[in-house]
Amino acid sequence: MKEIIVQKFGGTSVADIEKIKNVAKAIIREKNFGHDVVVVVSAMGHTTDYLVKMAHEITEKPSSREMDMLLSTGEGVSIALLAMALQAQGCPAVSMNAIQVGIMTEKVHSKARIIDIKTDKIKRHLERGEVVVVAGFQGVTEDLEITTLGRGGSDTSAVALAGALSAKRCDIYTDVEGVYTTDPRIVPNASRLGEISYGEMLELARVGANVLHPRAVETAKQYNVPIRVRSTFKLDNPGTLILGVDNMELHRPVTGVASDLSQLRIVVCDVKDNPGTAAILFNGLAIANISVDMIIQSYARKDLNTNDIAFTIDKSDKEQTLRILEKVKAQLDFSNVHVDDKIAKISIVGAGMIDRPGIAAMMFKTLADLDINIKMISTSEIKISCIVAEDKAKEAVEALHKVFNLDCDEIAEVKGDLPDV
Ligand code: ADP
Ligand code: ASP
Ligand code: MG
């Protein structure tokens, strides 16, 4: 049997009919290299945003089941059109949705996790010499309910399929030429990284580098799937290879800078300083499937026996979080809740910062020199994040990118061609 390559094309790559025809050419090119090809495709252009908008024109709070039913239709359109484009160019192809493939997920709407992927049907089509075009983003539960994997989730569909099929590689085709030291659309001086480890990419994706869905990187790490991020429009360019090797540029403490404007900060003021307070608060959020990112509890004021608990959540979870806080108010006896939705999370990521003191201090000084106030800080082994005012995000990213020597000319040495894997 031939080696399998999974190719994933994002929304911008299939935004119109001409682009779909072009994508078909990129698929046939890969097949002509002697591979079996499985393609995962997203909805065309801004289709998913448009579907979300229509739902909200009907009701402020659409049911999550119907939302998944609606959003999954976007990918249904692109798989059929892409399969037709392949057939029209003489390449046998078949489209399959998540039910037909058997992309099994847990029973959670809007952010379901994949549990299992059946591969028998796909393999039968491959044996017949067909390209299999699979709908990204969607899944199905045991009792045939349609689910979706969360915005940007087609990357995860592709990597999970590559893992299940033991593919040689998963190629993520997009509208930029690879993974850069920061978003190249915000900082034109950003540099393309030749390679990056799963660990660093996972942190970057989690803190806002939306070139890859974080769960796609998690899945790639778990199943050891090499990912190559590359341009749909410049097929000969090498892109960025993501694999297990840790940062080979350890002389550089920081590999990338990212900003995330999707969160807001909630401060619960004057909470009684008793054991169990945080448990009640965050348990309520956990039951509602609301992810909390940063948490800071202030020093308790002995005279009042109270403190403040601040945390960040996704903006889309705001209303539900406020409702939950209202429910636990009597138990926690806090005075009021303050919502700050004009924030940005700015992060630096790099395996090279391990055991290197002074990186956090340099980040804070860079922000201080720009008179940017830090509202919250969190760190992990290879990441430092600061919450700042939303309107300072661009300035902060540009300055950090420069201070940590990531501007184009300074990291030219990592721009070499990639080995094939
Ligand atoms: P697709 O539709 O192909 O899934 P996305 O819009 O989800 O594309 O992801 C590609 C976008 O990710 C780029 O256009 C770029 O603006 C953004 N991006 C953010 N951070 C980075 C980064 N570090 N490197 C490359 N692209 C990035
Ligand atoms: N179409 C979905 C979205 O826009 C999934 C994806 O593009 O990855 O979020
Ligand atoms: Mg994407």
Side-chain angles (χ1 to χ4, degrees):
M1 194 162 163
K2 292 177 185 169
E3 284 183 303
I4 299 173
I5 295 281
V6 174
Q7 295 183 300
K8 181 259 170 178
F9 295 90
T12 39
S13 305
V14 291
D16 56 40
I17 296 302
E18 267 326 295
K19 290 196 168 119
I20 290 179
K21 288 181 182 170
N22 257 329
V23 161
K25 287 198 185 106
I27 296 167
I28 294 169
R29 179 178 183 262
E30 191 64 59
K31 200 163 176 339
N32 288 342
F33 288 151
H35 293 124
D36 274 341
V37 183
V38 174
V39 178
V40 172
V41 69
S42 297
M44 291 171 73
H46 297 290
T47 302
T48 313
D49 292 334
Y50 177 62
L51 293 171
V52 171
K53 187 168 166 279
M54 280 203 295
H56 285 122
E57 279 170 13
I58 291 179
T59 163
E60 238 174 61
K61 223 184 150 293
S63 96
S64 55
R65 180 188 185 276
E66 300 314 327
M67 215 45 199
D68 276 357
M69 193 65 104
L70 176 69
L71 298 194
S72 66
T73 61
E75 274 67 15
V77 172
S78 39
I79 52 169
L81 290 175
L82 184 53
M84 288 176 200
L86 284 161
Q87 291 163 1
Q89 291 179 36
C91 174
V94 60
S95 65
M96 293 178 84
N97 64 24
I99 307 173
Q100 290 170 306
V101 173
I103 301 180
M104 311 308 299
T105 72
E106 55 184 9
K107 291 180 195 168
V108 174
H109 286 295
S110 85
K111 36 188 162 183
R113 284 179 172 267
I114 296 174
I115 299 168
D116 184 33
I117 299 187
K118 314 264 187 259
T119 56
D120 41 332
K121 269 196 200 152
I122 292 184
K123 283 183 179 157
R124 277 206 298 278
H125 286 295
L126 291 177
E127 275 159 22
R128 284 185 219 144
E130 292 166 343
V131 166
V132 185
V133 183
V134 178
F137 182 51
Q138 30 174 281
V140 63
T141 66
E142 239 174 25
D143 42 9
L144 298 183
E145 287 295 311
I146 302 286
T147 54
T148 61
L149 311 182
R151 297 301 308 267
S154 297
D155 296 338
T156 303
S157 312
V159 176
L161 258 171
L165 290 162
S166 305
K168 180 182 176 192
R169 206 176 60 232
C170 182
D171 284 345
I172 305 282
Y173 286 84
T174 185
D175 58 352
V176 286
E177 287 181 47
V179 179
Y180 284 69
T181 46
T182 193
D183 189 337
R185 297 194 185 284
I186 299 178
V187 181
N189 260 352
S191 320
R192 181 178 56 78
L193 297 162
E195 293 184 13
I196 182 168
S197 66
Y198 291 131
E200 287 183 303
M201 189 63 234
L202 185 53
E203 286 288 11
L204 269 177
R206 280 186 182 144
V207 296
N210 57 357
V211 61
L212 277 178
H213 195 234
R215 288 210 326 264
V217 189
E218 249 169 48
T219 309
K221 190 174 177 187
Q222 193 177 348
Y223 295 99
N224 226 358
V225 178
I227 302 181
R228 194 189 285 217
V229 177
R230 56 200 307 185
S231 163
T232 308
F233 310 106
K234 294 180 184 166
L235 295 178
D236 288 325
N237 287 13
T240 300
L241 195 57
I242 302 157
L243 32 68
V245 193
D246 229 328
N247 187 2
M248 58 299 299
E249 291 293 323
L250 284 181
H251 62 268
R252 232 176 342 114
V254 174
T255 303
V257 183
S259 60
D260 181 359
L261 272 55
S262 69
Q263 296 190 344
L264 56 78
R265 177 174 71 146
I266 292 198
V267 187
V268 187
C269 306
D270 309 313
V271 185
K272 286 277 171 275
D273 187 36
N274 296 331
T277 301
I280 294 170
L281 176 57
F282 293 110
N283 194 36
L285 299 177
I287 290 169
N289 217 359
I290 294 172
S291 299
V292 175
D293 184 15
M294 293 190 192
I295 302 176
I296 289 185
Q297 179 173 310
S298 69
Y299 181 67
R301 289 192 41 196
K302 280 279 173 276
D303 49 339
L304 299 172
N305 191 35
T306 63
N307 55 35
D308 297 338
I309 299 181
F311 57 92
T312 60
I313 51 163
D314 206 86
K315 278 181 179 151
S316 61
D317 289 326
K318 175 178 163 184
E319 304 306 331
Q320 209 183 352
T321 300
L322 292 178
R323 275 197 297 275
I324 290 166
L325 286 172
E326 205 41 56
K327 270 196 206 152
V328 295
K329 190 170 192 326
Q331 259 175 301
L332 299 187
D333 194 23
F334 53 80
S335 63
N336 63 308
V337 170
H338 175 77
V339 179
D340 183 1
D341 51 13
K342 294 271 180 294
I343 60 164
K345 183 168 75 172
I346 308 296
S347 308
I348 56 173
V349 171
M353 70 174 72
I354 297 174
D355 292 333
R356 237 199 200 106
I359 303 302
M362 196 189 283
M363 179 177 191
F364 304 152
K365 177 161 188 330
T366 306
L367 298 178
D369 287 346
L370 292 169
D371 208 19
I372 296 176
N373 189 35
I374 301 173
K375 298 173 186 234
M376 287 171 108
I377 299 169
S378 83
T379 62
S380 78
E381 204 180 22
I382 63 165
K383 177 210 74 184
I384 305 166
S385 300
C386 295
I387 298 287
V388 303
E390 190 181 77
D391 59 358
K392 302 285 182 190
K394 187 166 187 285
E395 204 184 343
V397 169
E398 279 171 347
L400 292 166
H401 196 263
K402 180 148 197 55
V403 140
F404 289 108
N405 301 326
L406 299 175
D407 278 1
C408 258
D409 43 334
E410 305 183 54
I411 68 155
E413 79 269 22
V414 298
K415 289 183 136 189
D417 269 8
L418 286 175
D420 197 18
V421 287

Coordinates of all heavy atoms in Angstrom, one line a residue, residues 84-117:
M84 N -16.1 17.4 -6.9 CA -16.5 17.6 -8.3 C -15.4 18.2 -9.1 O -15.1 17.8 -10.2 CB -17.7 18.6 -8.3 CG -19.0 18.1 -7.9 SD -20.2 19.4 -7.9 CE -21.5 18.8 -6.9
A85 N -14.6 19.1 -8.4 CA -13.5 19.8 -9.1 C -12.4 18.7 -9.5 O -11.8 18.8 -10.5 CB -12.9 20.9 -8.3
L86 N -12.2 17.8 -8.5 CA -11.2 16.8 -8.8 C -11.7 15.9 -9.9 O -10.9 15.6 -10.9 CB -11.0 15.9 -7.5 CG -10.2 16.6 -6.4 CD1 -10.4 15.9 -5.1 CD2 -8.7 16.5 -6.8
Q87 N -12.9 15.5 -9.9 CA -13.5 14.6 -10.9 C -13.4 15.3 -12.3 O -13.0 14.7 -13.3 CB -14.9 14.2 -10.6 CG -15.1 13.3 -9.4 CD -16.5 13.2 -8.9 OE1 -17.4 13.9 -9.4 NE2 -16.7 12.5 -7.8
A88 N -13.7 16.6 -12.3 CA -13.7 17.4 -13.5 C -12.3 17.5 -14.1 O -12.1 17.6 -15.3 CB -14.2 18.8 -13.3
Q89 N -11.3 17.3 -13.2 CA -9.9 17.4 -13.7 C -9.3 15.9 -13.9 O -8.1 15.7 -14.0 CB -9.0 18.2 -12.7 CG -9.3 19.7 -12.7 CD -8.5 20.5 -11.8 OE1 -7.3 20.2 -11.6 NE2 -9.1 21.5 -11.2
G90 N -10.2 15.0 -13.9 CA -9.8 13.6 -14.3 C -9.3 12.8 -13.1 O -8.8 11.7 -13.3
C91 N -9.5 13.3 -11.9 CA -9.0 12.5 -10.7 C -10.2 11.9 -10.0 O -11.1 12.6 -9.5 CB -8.3 13.5 -9.8 SG -7.8 12.8 -8.3
P92 N -10.2 10.6 -9.9 CA -11.4 9.9 -9.1 C -11.4 10.4 -7.7 O -10.3 10.5 -7.0 CB -11.0 8.4 -9.2 CG -9.9 8.3 -10.1 CD -9.2 9.6 -10.3
A93 N -12.5 10.8 -7.2 CA -12.6 11.4 -5.9 C -14.0 11.1 -5.3 O -15.0 11.0 -6.0 CB -12.4 12.9 -5.9
V94 N -14.1 11.1 -4.0 CA -15.4 10.9 -3.3 C -15.4 11.8 -2.1 O -14.4 11.9 -1.4 CB -15.6 9.4 -3.0 CG1 -14.5 8.9 -2.0 CG2 -16.9 9.2 -2.4
S95 N -16.5 12.4 -1.8 CA -16.6 13.3 -0.6 C -17.3 12.5 0.5 O -18.2 11.6 0.2 CB -17.4 14.5 -0.9 OG -18.8 14.2 -1.2
M96 N -16.9 12.7 1.7 CA -17.5 12.0 2.9 C -17.7 13.0 4.0 O -16.8 13.7 4.4 CB -16.6 10.8 3.3 CG -16.5 9.7 2.3 SD -15.4 8.4 2.9 CE -16.5 7.5 3.9
N97 N -18.9 12.9 4.7 CA -19.1 13.7 5.9 C -18.7 12.9 7.1 O -18.3 11.7 7.0 CB -20.5 14.3 5.9 CG -21.5 13.3 6.1 OD1 -21.3 12.2 6.5 ND2 -22.7 13.6 5.7
A98 N -18.8 13.5 8.3 CA -18.3 12.9 9.5 C -19.1 11.6 9.8 O -18.5 10.6 10.3 CB -18.4 13.8 10.7
I99 N -20.4 11.6 9.4 CA -21.2 10.4 9.7 C -20.7 9.3 8.8 O -20.6 8.1 9.3 CB -22.7 10.7 9.5 CG1 -23.1 11.9 10.2 CG2 -23.5 9.5 9.9 CD1 -24.5 12.4 9.9
Q100 N -20.5 9.6 7.5 CA -20.1 8.5 6.6 C -18.7 8.0 7.0 O -18.5 6.8 6.9 CB -20.1 9.1 5.2 CG -21.5 9.4 4.7 CD -21.4 10.2 3.4 OE1 -20.8 11.3 3.3 NE2 -22.1 9.8 2.4
V101 N -17.8 8.8 7.4 CA -16.5 8.3 7.8 C -16.6 7.6 9.1 O -16.1 6.5 9.3 CB -15.5 9.5 8.0 CG1 -14.2 9.0 8.5 CG2 -15.3 10.2 6.6
G102 N -17.3 8.2 10.1 CA -17.4 7.7 11.5 C -16.3 8.4 12.3 O -15.4 7.9 12.9
I103 N -16.5 9.8 12.3 CA -15.6 10.6 13.2 C -16.4 10.7 14.5 O -17.2 11.6 14.6 CB -15.3 12.0 12.5 CG1 -14.6 11.8 11.2 CG2 -14.4 12.8 13.5 CD1 -14.2 13.0 10.4
M104 N -16.1 9.8 15.4 CA -16.9 9.7 16.6 C -16.4 10.7 17.7 O -15.2 10.8 17.9 CB -16.8 8.3 17.2 CG -17.0 7.2 16.2 SD -18.6 7.4 15.2 CE -19.8 7.3 16.5
T105 N -17.3 11.5 18.2 CA -17.0 12.4 19.3 C -17.8 12.2 20.5 O -18.7 11.4 20.5 CB -17.2 13.9 18.9 OG1 -18.6 14.1 18.9 CG2 -16.7 14.2 17.5
E106 N -17.3 12.9 21.6 CA -18.1 12.9 22.8 C -19.4 13.6 22.6 O -19.6 14.4 21.6 CB -17.3 13.5 24.0 CG -16.8 14.9 23.6 CD -15.9 15.5 24.7 OE1 -15.5 14.8 25.6 OE2 -15.6 16.7 24.5
K107 N -20.4 13.5 23.5 CA -21.7 14.2 23.4 C -21.7 15.6 23.9 O -22.3 15.9 24.9 CB -22.8 13.4 24.1 CG -23.0 12.0 23.5 CD -24.1 11.3 24.3 CE -24.1 9.8 23.9 NZ -24.9 9.0 24.8
V108 N -20.8 16.4 23.3 CA -20.8 17.8 23.7 C -20.9 18.7 22.5 O -20.3 18.4 21.5 CB -19.4 18.1 24.4 CG1 -19.3 19.6 24.6 CG2 -19.2 17.3 25.6
H109 N -21.9 19.6 22.5 CA -22.0 20.4 21.3 C -21.1 21.6 21.4 O -20.7 22.1 22.4 CB -23.5 20.9 21.2 CG -24.4 19.8 20.8 ND1 -24.3 19.2 19.5 CD2 -25.4 19.2 21.4 CE1 -25.2 18.3 19.4 NE2 -25.9 18.2 20.6
S110 N -20.7 22.0 20.2 CA -19.8 23.2 19.9 C -18.3 23.1 20.3 O -17.5 23.9 19.8 CB -20.4 24.5 20.5 OG -20.0 24.7 21.8
K111 N -17.9 22.2 21.1 CA -16.5 22.0 21.3 C -16.2 20.5 21.7 O -15.6 20.2 22.7 CB -15.9 22.9 22.4 CG -16.8 23.3 23.6 CD -16.1 24.4 24.4 CE -17.1 25.1 25.3 NZ -16.7 26.2 26.1
A112 N -16.8 19.6 20.9 CA -16.6 18.2 21.1 C -15.2 17.7 20.8 O -14.5 18.2 20.0 CB -17.6 17.4 20.3
R113 N -14.8 16.7 21.6 CA -13.5 16.0 21.3 C -13.7 14.8 20.6 O -14.7 14.0 20.8 CB -12.8 15.7 22.7 CG -12.2 16.9 23.3 CD -11.6 16.6 24.6 NE -10.9 17.8 25.1 CZ -9.6 18.0 24.9 NH1 -8.9 17.1 24.3 NH2 -9.0 19.1 25.4
I114 N -12.8 14.5 19.7 CA -12.8 13.2 18.9 C -12.5 12.0 19.8 O -11.5 12.1 20.6 CB -11.9 13.3 17.7 CG1 -12.3 14.4 16.7 CG2 -11.8 11.9 17.0 CD1 -11.4 14.6 15.6
I115 N -13.3 11.0 19.8 CA -12.9 9.8 20.6 C -12.3 8.7 19.7 O -11.4 8.0 20.1 CB -14.2 9.2 21.2 CG1 -14.9 10.2 22.1 CG2 -14.0 7.9 21.9 CD1 -16.3 9.8 22.5
D116 N -12.8 8.6 18.5 CA -12.4 7.5 17.6 C -12.7 7.9 16.1 O -13.6 8.6 15.9 CB -13.2 6.3 18.0 CG -12.7 5.0 17.2 OD1 -11.5 5.0 16.9 OD2 -13.5 4.2 16.9
I117 N -11.8 7.4 15.2 CA -12.2 7.6 13.8 C -12.1 6.3 13.1 O -11.1 5.5 13.2 CB -11.2 8.6 13.1 CG1 -11.2 10.0 13.8 CG2 -11.5 8.7 11.6 CD1 -10.4 11.0 13.1

